[in-house]
Amino acid sequence: MNEIVLPTKKVEAQVRNPENLIIFSKPKVGKTSLLAQLPDCLILDLERGTKYIDAVKLEANSIDDIKAIGEKIKEQGNPYKFVAIDTITKLDEMVIPYAEQLYSKSPMGKNWFAPDGGKSKYGTIIGMPDGAGYYWTRLAFTKVTDYISTWAPYTIFVGHVKDTMLEKEGTNFSSLELDLTGKLKRMAAAHADGLGYLYRKGNKNILSFKTTNDISCGARPEHLMNKEIVLSEMVDGKLITHWDEIYVD
């Protein structure tokens, strides 16, 4: 280990761009179209949502597909600057068989796939009593997203929005948040450098990093912190994107 020198003044920030970005929105706002306009970005399509869009894209229908794609990317020297996962919400469902494999390799889950084991009793791992299976789905999800994050310098996870009813001071109100299961939502948000809510206003798509009572958002980079960015706009019938407002370096 090198000799430790204690700092005596502020150390300058080493990174400006969000290396791990989550964008979530209501359906049909145009997330996929925006990703297609980002140069040098591979879209990993988990929901067959790119069928009608020209893009640098690959479909994946299982964790095995994702593994095979990752191996090919590494074999070719990680050729992309960006990799976008469309969507992180679908990935939450897709990891369930992988979570069962992980559980079956543990001492407590060694009989999971036996004829009279947990698989036959509960159907899937998330059917286990007291939510015990969710630990394994979170573990599987984290392993997969960590693996995907090694494919390119910047990773974008696109997700759906979940409309949740909350109560505050006796009043019910609706809160929009990332649609992921239980604790996984907080884990994914904590790991991200930016969590932005995309919404449409007139002919513009706006990516908000402002946290309000209605929406949970946020960002670490100073140029995004508590900001709203016009990410795209229609000009003379053409979609113009402003990804350079997010990735400034």
Side-chain angles (χ1 to χ4, degrees), residues 77-115:
N78 299 73
Y80 305 104
K81 185 175 182 180
F82 302 91
V83 170
I85 310 306
D86 190 3
T87 64
I88 194 174
T89 306
K90 181 63 176 180
L91 184 61
D92 188 9
E93 302 173 11
M94 192 179 287
V95 300
I96 292 174
Y98 179 40
E100 292 179 344
Q101 292 176 20
L102 293 175
Y103 178 61
S104 70
K105 294 176 182 177
S106 71
M108 67 187 74
K110 62 183 180 181
N111 295 321
W112 175 257
F113 291 112

mmCIF file of all heavy atoms in Angstrom, residues 77-115:
data_model
loop_
_atom_site.group_PDB
_atom_site.id
_atom_site.type_symbol
_atom_site.label_atom_id
_atom_site.label_comp_id
_atom_site.label_asym_id
_atom_site.label_seq_id
_atom_site.Cartn_x
_atom_site.Cartn_y
_atom_site.Cartn_z
ATOM 1 N N GLY A 77 -13.455 -6.275 -27.500
ATOM 2 C CA GLY A 77 -12.751 -5.149 -26.908
ATOM 3 C C GLY A 77 -13.615 -4.019 -26.408
ATOM 4 O O GLY A 77 -13.206 -2.858 -26.427
ATOM 5 N N ASN A 78 -14.828 -4.332 -25.968
ATOM 6 C CA ASN A 78 -15.748 -3.321 -25.417
ATOM 7 C C ASN A 78 -15.894 -2.114 -26.358
ATOM 8 O O ASN A 78 -15.444 -1.011 -26.061
ATOM 9 C CB ASN A 78 -15.276 -2.866 -24.027
ATOM 10 C CG ASN A 78 -15.232 -4.009 -23.030
ATOM 11 O OD1 ASN A 78 -14.352 -4.866 -23.107
ATOM 12 N ND2 ASN A 78 -16.153 -4.037 -22.094
ATOM 13 N N PRO A 79 -16.536 -2.320 -27.518
ATOM 14 C CA PRO A 79 -16.542 -1.285 -28.555
ATOM 15 C C PRO A 79 -17.496 -0.111 -28.326
ATOM 16 O O PRO A 79 -17.432 0.874 -29.067
ATOM 17 C CB PRO A 79 -16.958 -2.061 -29.808
ATOM 18 C CG PRO A 79 -17.801 -3.189 -29.284
ATOM 19 C CD PRO A 79 -17.183 -3.568 -27.971
ATOM 20 N N TYR A 80 -18.380 -0.193 -27.336
ATOM 21 C CA TYR A 80 -19.391 0.852 -27.147
ATOM 22 C C TYR A 80 -19.013 1.801 -26.013
ATOM 23 O O TYR A 80 -18.401 1.389 -25.025
ATOM 24 C CB TYR A 80 -20.763 0.235 -26.846
ATOM 25 C CG TYR A 80 -21.211 -0.747 -27.899
ATOM 26 C CD1 TYR A 80 -21.155 -2.120 -27.659
ATOM 27 C CD2 TYR A 80 -21.663 -0.302 -29.135
ATOM 28 C CE1 TYR A 80 -21.552 -3.025 -28.619
ATOM 29 C CE2 TYR A 80 -22.061 -1.209 -30.108
ATOM 30 C CZ TYR A 80 -22.000 -2.566 -29.852
ATOM 31 O OH TYR A 80 -22.382 -3.476 -30.806
ATOM 32 N N LYS A 81 -19.427 3.056 -26.176
ATOM 33 C CA LYS A 81 -19.241 4.036 -25.095
ATOM 34 C C LYS A 81 -20.395 3.962 -24.089
ATOM 35 O O LYS A 81 -20.208 4.185 -22.893
ATOM 36 C CB LYS A 81 -19.154 5.455 -25.670
ATOM 37 C CG LYS A 81 -18.833 6.525 -24.640
ATOM 38 C CD LYS A 81 -18.642 7.881 -25.298
ATOM 39 C CE LYS A 81 -18.275 8.951 -24.263
ATOM 40 N NZ LYS A 81 -18.077 10.284 -24.909
ATOM 41 N N PHE A 82 -21.584 3.633 -24.612
ATOM 42 C CA PHE A 82 -22.784 3.549 -23.777
ATOM 43 C C PHE A 82 -23.464 2.198 -24.004
ATOM 44 O O PHE A 82 -23.506 1.697 -25.123
ATOM 45 C CB PHE A 82 -23.797 4.649 -24.126
ATOM 46 C CG PHE A 82 -23.273 6.051 -24.008
ATOM 47 C CD1 PHE A 82 -22.699 6.681 -25.112
ATOM 48 C CD2 PHE A 82 -23.345 6.739 -22.813
ATOM 49 C CE1 PHE A 82 -22.230 7.978 -25.017
ATOM 50 C CE2 PHE A 82 -22.868 8.038 -22.707
ATOM 51 C CZ PHE A 82 -22.302 8.658 -23.814
ATOM 52 N N VAL A 83 -24.014 1.654 -22.934
ATOM 53 C CA VAL A 83 -24.914 0.513 -23.023
ATOM 54 C C VAL A 83 -26.180 0.880 -22.266
ATOM 55 O O VAL A 83 -26.113 1.324 -21.110
ATOM 56 C CB VAL A 83 -24.296 -0.768 -22.440
ATOM 57 C CG1 VAL A 83 -25.345 -1.868 -22.337
ATOM 58 C CG2 VAL A 83 -23.128 -1.252 -23.299
ATOM 59 N N ALA A 84 -27.334 0.732 -22.932
ATOM 60 C CA ALA A 84 -28.616 1.074 -22.316
ATOM 61 C C ALA A 84 -29.472 -0.177 -22.161
ATOM 62 O O ALA A 84 -29.623 -0.955 -23.117
ATOM 63 C CB ALA A 84 -29.353 2.103 -23.169
ATOM 64 N N ILE A 85 -30.011 -0.395 -20.981
ATOM 65 C CA ILE A 85 -30.866 -1.544 -20.687
ATOM 66 C C ILE A 85 -32.317 -1.093 -20.719
ATOM 67 O O ILE A 85 -32.738 -0.248 -19.923
ATOM 68 C CB ILE A 85 -30.537 -2.153 -19.308
ATOM 69 C CG1 ILE A 85 -29.040 -2.398 -19.179
ATOM 70 C CG2 ILE A 85 -31.342 -3.428 -19.098
ATOM 71 C CD1 ILE A 85 -28.433 -3.232 -20.282
ATOM 72 N N ASP A 86 -33.088 -1.647 -21.632
ATOM 73 C CA ASP A 86 -34.471 -1.230 -21.863
ATOM 74 C C ASP A 86 -35.379 -2.455 -21.707
ATOM 75 O O ASP A 86 -35.601 -3.178 -22.657
ATOM 76 C CB ASP A 86 -34.564 -0.646 -23.269
ATOM 77 C CG ASP A 86 -35.878 0.050 -23.563
ATOM 78 O OD1 ASP A 86 -36.718 0.127 -22.639
ATOM 79 O OD2 ASP A 86 -36.075 0.502 -24.705
ATOM 80 N N THR A 87 -35.885 -2.790 -20.498
ATOM 81 C CA THR A 87 -35.926 -1.913 -19.338
ATOM 82 C C THR A 87 -35.404 -2.642 -18.095
ATOM 83 O O THR A 87 -35.386 -3.872 -18.044
ATOM 84 C CB THR A 87 -37.366 -1.472 -19.029
ATOM 85 O OG1 THR A 87 -38.135 -2.640 -18.658
ATOM 86 C CG2 THR A 87 -38.038 -0.788 -20.183
ATOM 87 N N ILE A 88 -35.053 -1.844 -17.087
ATOM 88 C CA ILE A 88 -34.622 -2.397 -15.802
ATOM 89 C C ILE A 88 -35.802 -3.077 -15.092
ATOM 90 O O ILE A 88 -35.619 -4.022 -14.319
ATOM 91 C CB ILE A 88 -34.021 -1.267 -14.944
ATOM 92 C CG1 ILE A 88 -33.249 -1.833 -13.753
ATOM 93 C CG2 ILE A 88 -35.088 -0.294 -14.489
ATOM 94 C CD1 ILE A 88 -32.520 -0.755 -12.963
ATOM 95 N N THR A 89 -37.014 -2.612 -15.378
ATOM 96 C CA THR A 89 -38.210 -3.213 -14.795
ATOM 97 C C THR A 89 -38.382 -4.646 -15.286
ATOM 98 O O THR A 89 -38.698 -5.558 -14.509
ATOM 99 C CB THR A 89 -39.447 -2.367 -15.152
ATOM 100 O OG1 THR A 89 -39.219 -1.002 -14.764
ATOM 101 C CG2 THR A 89 -40.680 -2.885 -14.445
ATOM 102 N N LYS A 90 -38.169 -4.882 -16.579
ATOM 103 C CA LYS A 90 -38.242 -6.233 -17.132
ATOM 104 C C LYS A 90 -37.116 -7.105 -16.586
ATOM 105 O O LYS A 90 -37.313 -8.303 -16.324
ATOM 106 C CB LYS A 90 -38.166 -6.175 -18.655
ATOM 107 C CG LYS A 90 -38.263 -7.529 -19.341
ATOM 108 C CD LYS A 90 -39.607 -8.190 -19.076
ATOM 109 C CE LYS A 90 -39.729 -9.492 -19.835
ATOM 110 N NZ LYS A 90 -41.041 -10.145 -19.587
ATOM 111 N N LEU A 91 -35.937 -6.515 -16.401
ATOM 112 C CA LEU A 91 -34.802 -7.265 -15.857
ATOM 113 C C LEU A 91 -35.127 -7.795 -14.466
ATOM 114 O O LEU A 91 -34.709 -8.899 -14.096
ATOM 115 C CB LEU A 91 -33.562 -6.384 -15.808
ATOM 116 C CG LEU A 91 -32.264 -7.056 -15.352
ATOM 117 C CD1 LEU A 91 -31.876 -8.190 -16.290
ATOM 118 C CD2 LEU A 91 -31.135 -6.028 -15.269
ATOM 119 N N ASP A 92 -35.886 -7.039 -13.691
ATOM 120 C CA ASP A 92 -36.310 -7.459 -12.354
ATOM 121 C C ASP A 92 -37.068 -8.784 -12.428
ATOM 122 O O ASP A 92 -36.910 -9.665 -11.569
ATOM 123 C CB ASP A 92 -37.183 -6.358 -11.742
ATOM 124 C CG ASP A 92 -37.514 -6.599 -10.276
ATOM 125 O OD1 ASP A 92 -36.934 -7.516 -9.670
ATOM 126 O OD2 ASP A 92 -38.351 -5.850 -9.734
ATOM 127 N N GLU A 93 -37.890 -8.966 -13.459
ATOM 128 C CA GLU A 93 -38.611 -10.222 -13.651
ATOM 129 C C GLU A 93 -37.694 -11.311 -14.215
ATOM 130 O O GLU A 93 -37.769 -12.472 -13.822
ATOM 131 C CB GLU A 93 -39.773 -10.013 -14.627
ATOM 132 C CG GLU A 93 -40.779 -8.962 -14.215
ATOM 133 C CD GLU A 93 -41.793 -8.705 -15.314
ATOM 134 O OE1 GLU A 93 -41.833 -9.490 -16.288
ATOM 135 O OE2 GLU A 93 -42.540 -7.717 -15.215
ATOM 136 N N MET A 94 -36.818 -10.915 -15.119
ATOM 137 C CA MET A 94 -35.994 -11.866 -15.856
ATOM 138 C C MET A 94 -34.994 -12.600 -14.962
ATOM 139 O O MET A 94 -34.570 -13.712 -15.275
ATOM 140 C CB MET A 94 -35.260 -11.123 -16.983
ATOM 141 C CG MET A 94 -34.590 -12.011 -17.994
ATOM 142 S SD MET A 94 -33.785 -11.030 -19.306
ATOM 143 C CE MET A 94 -35.223 -10.479 -20.216
ATOM 144 N N VAL A 95 -34.604 -11.995 -13.843
ATOM 145 C CA VAL A 95 -33.578 -12.619 -12.997
ATOM 146 C C VAL A 95 -34.123 -13.735 -12.117
ATOM 147 O O VAL A 95 -33.341 -14.422 -11.442
ATOM 148 C CB VAL A 95 -32.863 -11.576 -12.092
ATOM 149 C CG1 VAL A 95 -32.170 -10.514 -12.919
ATOM 150 C CG2 VAL A 95 -33.825 -10.958 -11.076
ATOM 151 N N ILE A 96 -35.439 -13.955 -12.096
ATOM 152 C CA ILE A 96 -36.015 -14.944 -11.181
ATOM 153 C C ILE A 96 -35.430 -16.347 -11.388
ATOM 154 O O ILE A 96 -35.011 -16.995 -10.412
ATOM 155 C CB ILE A 96 -37.554 -14.946 -11.274
ATOM 156 C CG1 ILE A 96 -38.116 -13.629 -10.716
ATOM 157 C CG2 ILE A 96 -38.151 -16.134 -10.522
ATOM 158 C CD1 ILE A 96 -39.609 -13.453 -10.890
ATOM 159 N N PRO A 97 -35.344 -16.873 -12.626
ATOM 160 C CA PRO A 97 -34.722 -18.200 -12.786
ATOM 161 C C PRO A 97 -33.262 -18.230 -12.337
ATOM 162 O O PRO A 97 -32.799 -19.234 -11.768
ATOM 163 C CB PRO A 97 -34.843 -18.459 -14.297
ATOM 164 C CG PRO A 97 -35.996 -17.618 -14.732
ATOM 165 C CD PRO A 97 -35.905 -16.382 -13.900
ATOM 166 N N TYR A 98 -32.538 -17.146 -12.586
ATOM 167 C CA TYR A 98 -31.141 -17.069 -12.144
ATOM 168 C C TYR A 98 -31.069 -17.065 -10.620
ATOM 169 O O TYR A 98 -30.202 -17.714 -10.017
ATOM 170 C CB TYR A 98 -30.490 -15.829 -12.734
ATOM 171 C CG TYR A 98 -29.050 -15.600 -12.338
ATOM 172 C CD1 TYR A 98 -28.146 -16.660 -12.246
ATOM 173 C CD2 TYR A 98 -28.590 -14.323 -12.056
ATOM 174 C CE1 TYR A 98 -26.820 -16.447 -11.884
ATOM 175 C CE2 TYR A 98 -27.266 -14.098 -11.704
ATOM 176 C CZ TYR A 98 -26.389 -15.161 -11.615
ATOM 177 O OH TYR A 98 -25.081 -14.944 -11.251
ATOM 178 N N ALA A 99 -31.993 -16.351 -9.976
ATOM 179 C CA ALA A 99 -32.038 -16.328 -8.507
ATOM 180 C C ALA A 99 -32.279 -17.736 -7.960
ATOM 181 O O ALA A 99 -31.690 -18.127 -6.943
ATOM 182 C CB ALA A 99 -33.133 -15.374 -8.032
ATOM 183 N N GLU A 100 -33.120 -18.502 -8.640
ATOM 184 C CA GLU A 100 -33.374 -19.879 -8.207
ATOM 185 C C GLU A 100 -32.122 -20.744 -8.351
ATOM 186 O O GLU A 100 -31.861 -21.613 -7.514
ATOM 187 C CB GLU A 100 -34.527 -20.460 -9.018
ATOM 188 C CG GLU A 100 -35.854 -19.796 -8.714
ATOM 189 C CD GLU A 100 -37.009 -20.337 -9.527
ATOM 190 O OE1 GLU A 100 -36.752 -21.024 -10.550
ATOM 191 O OE2 GLU A 100 -38.159 -20.086 -9.159
ATOM 192 N N GLN A 101 -31.359 -20.507 -9.415
ATOM 193 C CA GLN A 101 -30.101 -21.242 -9.573
ATOM 194 C C GLN A 101 -29.136 -20.916 -8.435
ATOM 195 O O GLN A 101 -28.496 -21.819 -7.878
ATOM 196 C CB GLN A 101 -29.470 -20.893 -10.916
ATOM 197 C CG GLN A 101 -30.228 -21.395 -12.121
ATOM 198 C CD GLN A 101 -29.596 -20.934 -13.424
ATOM 199 O OE1 GLN A 101 -28.429 -20.571 -13.464
ATOM 200 N NE2 GLN A 101 -30.376 -20.944 -14.489
ATOM 201 N N LEU A 102 -29.031 -19.623 -8.099
ATOM 202 C CA LEU A 102 -28.136 -19.216 -7.008
ATOM 203 C C LEU A 102 -28.579 -19.854 -5.692
ATOM 204 O O LEU A 102 -27.755 -20.351 -4.912
ATOM 205 C CB LEU A 102 -28.120 -17.689 -6.883
ATOM 206 C CG LEU A 102 -27.489 -16.903 -8.033
ATOM 207 C CD1 LEU A 102 -27.673 -15.400 -7.806
ATOM 208 C CD2 LEU A 102 -26.004 -17.228 -8.161
ATOM 209 N N TYR A 103 -29.882 -19.816 -5.444
ATOM 210 C CA TYR A 103 -30.413 -20.384 -4.202
ATOM 211 C C TYR A 103 -30.161 -21.890 -4.132
ATOM 212 O O TYR A 103 -29.798 -22.426 -3.069
ATOM 213 C CB TYR A 103 -31.906 -20.090 -4.108
ATOM 214 C CG TYR A 103 -32.581 -20.662 -2.881
ATOM 215 C CD1 TYR A 103 -32.189 -20.260 -1.607
ATOM 216 C CD2 TYR A 103 -33.598 -21.605 -3.006
ATOM 217 C CE1 TYR A 103 -32.809 -20.785 -0.476
ATOM 218 C CE2 TYR A 103 -34.218 -22.130 -1.883
ATOM 219 C CZ TYR A 103 -33.820 -21.725 -0.625
ATOM 220 O OH TYR A 103 -34.421 -22.248 0.485
ATOM 221 N N SER A 104 -30.307 -22.575 -5.265
ATOM 222 C CA SER A 104 -30.148 -24.031 -5.278
ATOM 223 C C SER A 104 -28.708 -24.461 -4.997
ATOM 224 O O SER A 104 -28.472 -25.610 -4.630
ATOM 225 C CB SER A 104 -30.594 -24.601 -6.632
ATOM 226 O OG SER A 104 -29.690 -24.245 -7.667
ATOM 227 N N LYS A 105 -27.773 -23.541 -5.161
ATOM 228 C CA LYS A 105 -26.367 -23.843 -4.889
ATOM 229 C C LYS A 105 -25.973 -23.538 -3.438
ATOM 230 O O LYS A 105 -24.826 -23.781 -3.046
ATOM 231 C CB LYS A 105 -25.467 -23.060 -5.851
ATOM 232 C CG LYS A 105 -25.633 -23.486 -7.304
ATOM 233 C CD LYS A 105 -24.808 -22.624 -8.237
ATOM 234 C CE LYS A 105 -25.023 -23.040 -9.692
ATOM 235 N NZ LYS A 105 -24.271 -22.169 -10.632
ATOM 236 N N SER A 106 -26.909 -22.996 -2.684
ATOM 237 C CA SER A 106 -26.658 -22.716 -1.268
ATOM 238 C C SER A 106 -27.063 -23.923 -0.437
ATOM 239 O O SER A 106 -27.874 -24.752 -0.872
ATOM 240 C CB SER A 106 -27.459 -21.495 -0.821
ATOM 241 O OG SER A 106 -28.847 -21.805 -0.764
ATOM 242 N N PRO A 107 -26.512 -24.075 0.773
ATOM 243 C CA PRO A 107 -26.876 -25.219 1.623
ATOM 244 C C PRO A 107 -28.371 -25.318 1.891
ATOM 245 O O PRO A 107 -28.945 -26.410 1.869
ATOM 246 C CB PRO A 107 -26.091 -24.950 2.918
ATOM 247 C CG PRO A 107 -24.918 -24.119 2.481
ATOM 248 C CD PRO A 107 -25.432 -23.252 1.373
ATOM 249 N N MET A 108 -29.022 -24.173 2.110
ATOM 250 C CA MET A 108 -30.449 -24.217 2.442
ATOM 251 C C MET A 108 -31.326 -24.506 1.223
ATOM 252 O O MET A 108 -32.469 -24.945 1.363
ATOM 253 C CB MET A 108 -30.873 -22.900 3.095
ATOM 254 C CG MET A 108 -30.816 -21.701 2.182
ATOM 255 S SD MET A 108 -31.139 -20.133 3.047
ATOM 256 C CE MET A 108 -29.604 -19.942 3.947
ATOM 257 N N GLY A 109 -30.796 -24.271 0.028
ATOM 258 C CA GLY A 109 -31.624 -24.442 -1.160
ATOM 259 C C GLY A 109 -31.236 -25.623 -2.023
ATOM 260 O O GLY A 109 -31.683 -25.725 -3.170
ATOM 261 N N LYS A 110 -30.440 -26.531 -1.487
ATOM 262 C CA LYS A 110 -29.906 -27.633 -2.298
ATOM 263 C C LYS A 110 -30.992 -28.553 -2.857
ATOM 264 O O LYS A 110 -30.775 -29.242 -3.855
ATOM 265 C CB LYS A 110 -28.893 -28.432 -1.489
ATOM 266 C CG LYS A 110 -29.459 -29.094 -0.240
ATOM 267 C CD LYS A 110 -28.354 -29.810 0.535
ATOM 268 C CE LYS A 110 -28.909 -30.477 1.788
ATOM 269 N NZ LYS A 110 -27.827 -31.161 2.553
ATOM 270 N N ASN A 111 -32.168 -28.566 -2.225
ATOM 271 C CA ASN A 111 -33.260 -29.424 -2.696
ATOM 272 C C ASN A 111 -34.322 -28.642 -3.475
ATOM 273 O O ASN A 111 -35.422 -29.149 -3.715
ATOM 274 C CB ASN A 111 -33.921 -30.136 -1.514
ATOM 275 C CG ASN A 111 -32.980 -31.109 -0.837
ATOM 276 O OD1 ASN A 111 -32.207 -31.806 -1.497
ATOM 277 N ND2 ASN A 111 -33.029 -31.148 0.486
ATOM 278 N N TRP A 112 -34.007 -27.400 -3.870
ATOM 279 C CA TRP A 112 -34.994 -26.539 -4.512
ATOM 280 C C TRP A 112 -35.624 -27.190 -5.746
ATOM 281 O O TRP A 112 -36.836 -27.146 -5.949
ATOM 282 C CB TRP A 112 -34.361 -25.207 -4.873
ATOM 283 C CG TRP A 112 -35.273 -24.288 -5.640
ATOM 284 C CD1 TRP A 112 -35.244 -24.024 -6.980
ATOM 285 C CD2 TRP A 112 -36.366 -23.528 -5.115
ATOM 286 N NE1 TRP A 112 -36.242 -23.144 -7.321
ATOM 287 C CE2 TRP A 112 -36.946 -22.827 -6.192
ATOM 288 C CE3 TRP A 112 -36.911 -23.380 -3.841
ATOM 289 C CZ2 TRP A 112 -38.033 -21.982 -6.035
ATOM 290 C CZ3 TRP A 112 -38.007 -22.537 -3.673
ATOM 291 C CH2 TRP A 112 -38.552 -21.850 -4.760
ATOM 292 N N PHE A 113 -34.773 -27.800 -6.583
ATOM 293 C CA PHE A 113 -35.269 -28.377 -7.830
ATOM 294 C C PHE A 113 -35.635 -29.867 -7.698
ATOM 295 O O PHE A 113 -35.971 -30.503 -8.693
ATOM 296 C CB PHE A 113 -34.228 -28.202 -8.947
ATOM 297 C CG PHE A 113 -34.046 -26.780 -9.391
ATOM 298 C CD1 PHE A 113 -32.862 -26.108 -9.142
ATOM 299 C CD2 PHE A 113 -35.060 -26.108 -10.058
ATOM 300 C CE1 PHE A 113 -32.687 -24.795 -9.561
ATOM 301 C CE2 PHE A 113 -34.901 -24.793 -10.476
ATOM 302 C CZ PHE A 113 -33.711 -24.130 -10.223
ATOM 303 N N ALA A 114 -35.580 -30.415 -6.498
ATOM 304 C CA ALA A 114 -35.973 -31.811 -6.287
ATOM 305 C C ALA A 114 -37.475 -31.971 -6.543
ATOM 306 O O ALA A 114 -38.246 -31.012 -6.432
ATOM 307 C CB ALA A 114 -35.627 -32.242 -4.865
ATOM 308 N N PRO A 115 -37.930 -33.176 -6.882
ATOM 309 C CA PRO A 115 -39.354 -33.382 -7.186
ATOM 310 C C PRO A 115 -40.298 -32.889 -6.081
ATOM 311 O O PRO A 115 -41.393 -32.399 -6.375
ATOM 312 C CB PRO A 115 -39.454 -34.912 -7.352
ATOM 313 C CG PRO A 115 -38.087 -35.309 -7.816
ATOM 314 C CD PRO A 115 -37.138 -34.406 -7.088
#
